Amino acid sequence: MKTIISNPKVALLLGASLDVLHQESKEWLDTIAFWKDETKFFANLLNRKEAKTSEYAKMLSNLDKIHENLFDYLEDDIVQHEKVLSRLYKGQKGLSDGDYREKHRSLGERMDLFTNNFREFKKMVFGYVKKF
């Protein structure tokens, strides 16, 4: 079965050299490192607020979910993906360039989804902080 790719940037990247895909993975890791710093900032900001409303509890719960996804899954998957790339470069048998590219596409979709979810979380935090 052939995967249909609706985003032209994704289609272009999946046809790109492995070096370009490696660079994109590095950018994802840099973005995640920035998000980690942001989540620390948000946690400190929210902890300073005196009101412990249900909205506050919901934000802290969402922050915990962000940490779980961010630290335990997405970053680790990208690092593992980079390790496969290293093995591909070394010519290790049993690895498929096509499989690597498909995994890269999947990681890109996860990054996009997480970016959108994180953006919504930030709006919620800023909306809450503005009330005080």
Side-chain angles (χ1 to χ4, degrees):
M1 179 192 311
K2 187 171 185 162
T3 303
I4 298 173
I5 300 171
S6 60
N7 184 338
K9 179 183 174 192
V10 170
L12 178 64
L13 280 175
L14 290 179
S17 75
L18 293 176
D19 289 334
V20 172
L21 300 181
H22 169 64
Q23 183 59 38
E24 185 175 43
S25 293
K26 286 176 36 179
E27 290 172 7
W28 291 340
L29 292 172
D30 289 343
T31 299
I32 290 170
F34 178 73
W35 287 340
K36 285 180 183 180
D37 289 339
E38 279 191 309
T39 56
K40 290 175 189 171
F41 168 77
F42 292 138
N44 289 335
L45 184 66
L46 292 172
N47 283 329
R48 288 187 194 148
K49 295 298 171 193
E50 293 179 18
K52 303 289 185 195
T53 65
S54 63
E55 188 177 359
Y56 174 81
K58 182 179 176 184
M59 280 187 278
L60 287 182
S61 173
N62 284 334
L63 187 58
D64 286 342
K65 289 176 189 174
I66 287 169
H67 276 99
E68 179 182 324
N69 188 5
L70 184 65
F71 299 137
D72 295 340
Y73 299 111
L74 191 55
E75 184 176 31
D76 289 343
D77 286 351
I78 294 169
V79 169
Q80 291 304 314
H81 182 63
E82 283 292 283
K83 289 178 181 178
V84 171
L85 176 61
S86 175
R87 292 172 30 217
L88 264 174
Y89 269 123
K90 293 176 183 174
Q92 183 175 338
K93 293 186 190 263
L95 295 176
S96 164
D97 182 82
D99 290 344
Y100 176 83
R101 291 174 187 277
E102 179 61 27
K103 177 68 174 179
H104 193 86
R105 182 197 60 75
S106 175
L107 285 170
E109 289 175 354
R110 287 175 60 198
M111 280 296 294
D112 289 343
L113 178 63
F114 192 83
T115 298
N116 291 334
N117 290 340
F118 194 67
R119 188 176 296 129
E120 288 302 313
F121 172 74
K122 288 176 11 177
K123 287 179 187 176
M124 187 176 14
V125 170
F126 290 134
Y128 174 77
V129 171
K130 282 181 184 179
K131 292 180 183 178
F132 296 96

